[in-house]
Amino acid sequence: MKILLNNTSLFESLRPFNDLGFVPTMGGIHKGHLSLINKSNKLCKKTIVSIFVNPKQFNNEKDLRSYPRNIKRDLKILKKSKKVDFVYIPKFKDIYKDKKTSKIRLIKKDKILCAKFRKGHFEGVLDVMNKLTKIINPQKIFMGEKDFQQLYLVKKQLETNYKTKIIPCKTIRDKNNVALSSRNFLLNKSYLKVAANIYKKLKNIKKNINKKKNISDFLKSQTKELRNNYKIKIDYLELRNIKNLKISSTNKNSRLFIAYYLNNVRLIDNL
Ligand code: AMP
């Protein structure tokens, strides 16, 4: 496993390879990331993982400062997996010295879910994904369905502008069904227990949704119940179609999307 700390060594090392799988991460490596890496390892000759906490996608300074960082631990896990050929750990200037790219704007119909509640977040994500794709030029990029809206927007943008294919990967959960996330490192056991109970409740809501005449009213009342029972702040709880992310009136081809705060840590999930 070769560690690439700047673009010069990246360009030199990647030059011979034309079947590259790329797994972009912000570190805090967990089994969710490893499942993407496994898939890349199966489908591509070489796998490159990036670790870059992209400041431009944080709409909140405190969130950026507290984001879990532990490069030593991350590298140990990646090495142990024996599935990673390259780890790219760029500096800010490696990504942002090329200022030529045009400014990214979301169209109105995409300003939903996290885009509505985290102003500027996806503009930052799309910008960094554009830049990483230009620098690395991978054949495939592996991304998790846990961040479904991110996957949807990145796929739409990159597949119209590059030859690169975006490969969606299933959400990996812990034994209590809580979606793995680097942010879970910021929660103690009792908060993770609450997250597990919230998952159970969401599963139940999803199961019962088709029996309801007015889904929007049903979800409003369930949001209230979740807020009161678990003392959490909820940004949204919405049923949306997975093809176009429009509000859905049936479970078919749809997922229940949630973003909520537990002990000031923002968690998202979809099921
Ligand atoms: P992050 O480091 O949180 O930016 O995530 C890097 C990539 O891993 C993204 O494509 C995420 O969607 C994906 N990912 C994060 N958590 C999970 C999970 N629990 N299961 C599958 N993929 C995940």
Side-chain angles (χ1 to χ4, degrees):
M1 186 176 91
K2 191 162 180 189
I3 297 165
L4 313 167
L5 295 173
N6 57 58
N7 289 0
T8 316
S9 74
L10 176 111
F11 294 139
E12 254 168 41
S13 304
L14 297 189
R15 199 177 301 133
F17 304 109
N18 60 4
D19 184 12
L20 260 185
F22 173 37
V23 180
T25 83
M26 297 207 298
I29 298 296
H30 52 70
K31 286 182 181 153
H33 298 125
L34 291 177
S35 77
L36 274 51
I37 290 166
N38 276 335
K39 199 156 175 177
S40 171
N41 188 264
K42 276 194 195 116
L43 298 182
C44 305
K45 280 218 179 80
K46 297 282 172 191
T47 291
I48 176 166
V49 175
S50 67
I51 299 177
F52 180 60
V53 181
N54 173 32
K56 296 207 175 186
Q57 70 187 66
F58 283 81
N59 54 324
N60 176 327
E61 185 64 33
K62 210 170 145 208
D63 186 26
L64 171 63
R65 258 186 283 129
S66 62
Y67 197 84
R69 292 170 174 85
N70 195 338
I71 285 280
K72 249 190 171 171
R73 178 188 168 277
D74 288 348
L75 289 175
K76 211 168 142 187
I77 299 173
L78 295 176
K79 192 161 184 208
K80 202 169 152 216
S81 79
K82 298 201 166 89
K83 303 270 165 80
V84 180
D85 300 285
F86 304 102
V87 185
Y88 176 46
I89 311 174
K91 299 270 180 311
F92 184 85
K93 65 175 189 322
D94 290 304
I95 304 293
Y96 289 108
K97 72 176 165 224
D98 170 18
K99 293 200 181 74
K100 268 182 260 156
T101 46
S102 58
K103 191 150 173 49
I104 285 161
R105 285 211 178 89
L106 294 190
I107 54 172
K108 199 168 163 227
K109 79 172 184 57
D110 286 337
K111 290 183 183 169
I112 53 170
L113 301 170
C114 287
K116 185 169 150 192
F117 287 89
R118 296 185 71 190
K119 294 260 172 331
H121 167 63
F122 285 120
E123 289 83 347
V125 170
L126 292 172
D127 190 25
V128 80
M129 285 307 296
N130 250 328
K131 292 188 157 72
L132 286 167
T133 305
K134 259 194 202 149
I135 294 168
I136 296 174
N137 191 22
Q139 272 56 47
K140 296 184 176 74
I141 301 179
F142 296 82
M143 299 185 74
E145 288 180 351
K146 210 263 294 162
D147 303 276
F148 200 93
Q149 189 179 15
Q150 167 175 281
L151 170 68
Y152 171 86
L153 291 172
V154 170
K155 190 170 170 71
K156 191 160 76 152
Q157 168 175 278
L158 292 188
E159 291 188 350
T160 43
N161 294 316
Y162 302 88
K163 281 188 187 151
T164 308
K165 280 262 158 273
I166 309 297
I167 314 291
C169 304
K170 281 202 170 51
T171 301
I172 305 298
R173 297 175 180 279
D174 70 10
K175 63 176 189 318
N176 295 320
N177 285 316
V178 177
L180 294 182
S181 162
S182 308
R183 289 177 198 272
N184 294 359
F185 290 118
L186 302 171
L187 297 170
N188 66 21
K189 260 191 188 161
S190 69
Y191 281 115
L192 287 171
K193 194 81 206 290
V194 176
N197 288 333
I198 291 171
Y199 174 85
K200 258 192 232 159
K201 173 77 180 158
L202 293 173
K203 193 90 183 153
N204 214 281
I205 296 173
K206 182 93 194 295
K207 199 175 99 194
N208 287 315
I209 228 161
N210 270 354
K211 293 182 209 151
K212 305 292 164 187
K213 276 205 192 90
N214 186 327
I215 291 181
S216 160
D217 281 353
F218 173 59
L219 289 178
K220 266 186 207 146
S221 75
Q222 294 303 299
T223 304
K224 225 175 178 179
E225 213 177 296
L226 279 163
R227 272 191 190 121
N228 292 336
N229 289 353
Y230 299 105
K231 310 281 172 258
I232 50 172
K233 178 176 173 271
I234 300 178
D235 276 351
Y236 56 76
L237 175 68
E238 291 175 353
L239 187 72
R240 287 188 176 264
N241 184 288
I242 50 169
K243 298 266 185 294
N244 50 30
L245 287 188
K246 282 187 183 154
I247 288 281
S248 182
S249 53
T250 160
N251 254 338
K252 195 167 170 237
N253 291 329
S254 300
R255 289 194 188 198
L256 190 59
F257 290 84
I258 189 167
Y260 66 96
Y261 288 83
L262 200 54
N263 192 31
N264 291 321
V265 178
R266 192 175 190 273
L267 300 177
I268 58 171
D269 200 355
N270 63 85
L271 56 152

